[in-house]
Amino acid sequence: MFTGIIEETGRVKGIRRGARSVTIEVDASVVMQDTQVGDSIATNGVCLTVTALTSGGFTADVMPETVTRTSLAALKPGDMVNLERALTLQSRLGGHIVSGHVDGTGTVCRRVQDDNALWLWVECSPALMRYIIEKGSITVQGVSLTVARVQDNKFAVSLIPHTQGATTLLSAKVGDVVNLENDMIAKYVEKLLMPHESEGTGGGDSEDSRLAMYKDFMSHKAF
C-alpha cells in the first residue's frame, strides 16, 4: 500500500526483455534505506517486488499482466521513474490510498502553464473515466493528484511547483503514455452496488436492496 507521495526519482539502469515479461534495474538512493529483497517499491505507480539489491539500487521483475496494463515495457536505460516505498503504520497518509495496482494507461493530450502551476490533460478509456470525478483523487505515474477538470474522455490535473520538481511529470510531453490508478474506494462502492445474479433465481438485486446495501456499508463508517 502506498500514498502517492513520491520519495525520489530514480534512473533506469537496465532493461532485460523476455518473450512477454521485463526485468528492470533502477538506480536509487532514498528508497533503498532499509529496503530488503521482497519489499515493495512503487515504480511509476506500479507496485514492484524487489528481487535483488545492487550497489546503487534494485532489480524487479515485471510479469506479462503488468506489461499489458502499464507503460513499464516502454522504459529505456536513462529514463527517470517516480519511486515510493510501501507505507508503514507510522507513515502519514499525505496523498490518498494507493495500491500500486495500475488500472490502465492514458495519454497526455495537452500541457498548459498557468502562472506557477502546470496543467496536464490526460485522455483515457471510458472504463477508467467512470471512476474519475472533479475534485476526486487519481494516481498518475504513481503521483497522488486531485482531479481539477473532467471533460468527456479527458481529465486535467494541476501540478504545484513542488510536484513539478519532485516527480517526472514536469517532463511529460503530449503523446506520452502514463500509468493510471483509479480511486480504490470508488471501485469498492461500485462493486457493492452492482446488481448480481441471485442464486437459484437468475434475477438481479432490486434497486431497494442495492440502496439498503449502500446504507449498510456507509453505516459502518468505512471512511
Side-chain angles (χ1 to χ4, degrees):
M1 198 68 68
F2 307 90
T3 68
I5 303 299
I6 302 305
E7 295 186 272
E8 71 169 317
T9 55
R11 184 180 298 275
V12 176
K13 183 177 182 180
I15 292 277
R16 297 195 303 275
R17 304 183 189 280
R20 298 179 55 229
S21 63
V22 170
T23 298
I24 180 173
E25 184 177 349
V26 178
D27 281 340
S29 57
V30 175
V31 298
M32 299 313 300
Q33 298 172 18
D34 300 324
T35 292
Q36 303 294 325
V37 171
D39 287 349
S40 297
I41 295 179
T43 306
N44 274 0
V46 184
C47 178
L48 297 180
T49 299
V50 175
T51 57
L53 301 175
T54 65
S55 58
F58 67 96
T59 298
D61 294 326
V62 184
M63 62 184 176
E65 166 70 6
T66 307
V67 168
T68 300
R69 283 185 178 264
T70 74
S71 64
L72 289 187
L75 289 173
K76 309 178 300 298
D79 284 349
M80 303 301 292
V81 289
N82 296 319
L83 301 174
E84 180 193 355
R85 289 169 292 183
L87 61 83
T88 69
L89 293 178
Q90 290 76 38
S91 300
R92 292 187 178 185
L93 189 60
H96 69 285
I97 298 174
V98 176
S99 69
H101 303 156
V102 169
D103 292 297
T105 59
T107 303
V108 177
C109 58
R110 190 181 178 195
R111 285 174 53 106
V112 179
Q113 194 69 43
D114 181 16
D115 195 5
N116 67 342
L118 172 64
W119 287 69
L120 289 182
W121 282 86
V122 178
E123 183 175 1
C124 61
S125 69
L128 298 180
M129 285 300 304
R130 69 184 297 167
Y131 302 109
I132 300 174
I133 62 170
E134 191 167 314
K135 304 310 177 187
S137 295
I138 186 74
T139 308
V140 181
Q141 294 290 76
V143 184
S144 172
L145 297 169
T146 299
V147 178
R149 298 283 188 277
V150 174
Q151 184 180 79
D152 300 323
N153 61 336
K154 305 178 184 68
F155 69 91
V157 292
S158 182
L159 311 181
I160 62 173
H162 173 78
T163 304
Q164 295 175 43
T167 75
T168 64
L169 293 181
L170 178 61
S171 61
K173 306 181 299 298
V174 172
D176 282 357
V177 176
V178 291
N179 295 320
L180 303 176
E181 182 185 332
N182 290 123
D183 182 10
M184 181 189 300
I185 294 176
K187 291 184 285 187
Y188 275 116
V189 170
E190 181 190 60
K191 180 66 175 178
L192 286 170
L193 296 177
M194 279 178 61
H196 61 275
E197 295 297 315
S198 301
E199 288 188 14
T201 65
D205 286 344
S206 67
E207 186 67 26
D208 288 343
S209 65
R210 293 199 301 274
L211 181 58
M213 253 197 312
Y214 173 74
K215 288 180 177 178
D216 180 65
F217 172 75
M218 294 301 291
S219 71
H220 286 82
K221 296 184 175 16
F223 307 99

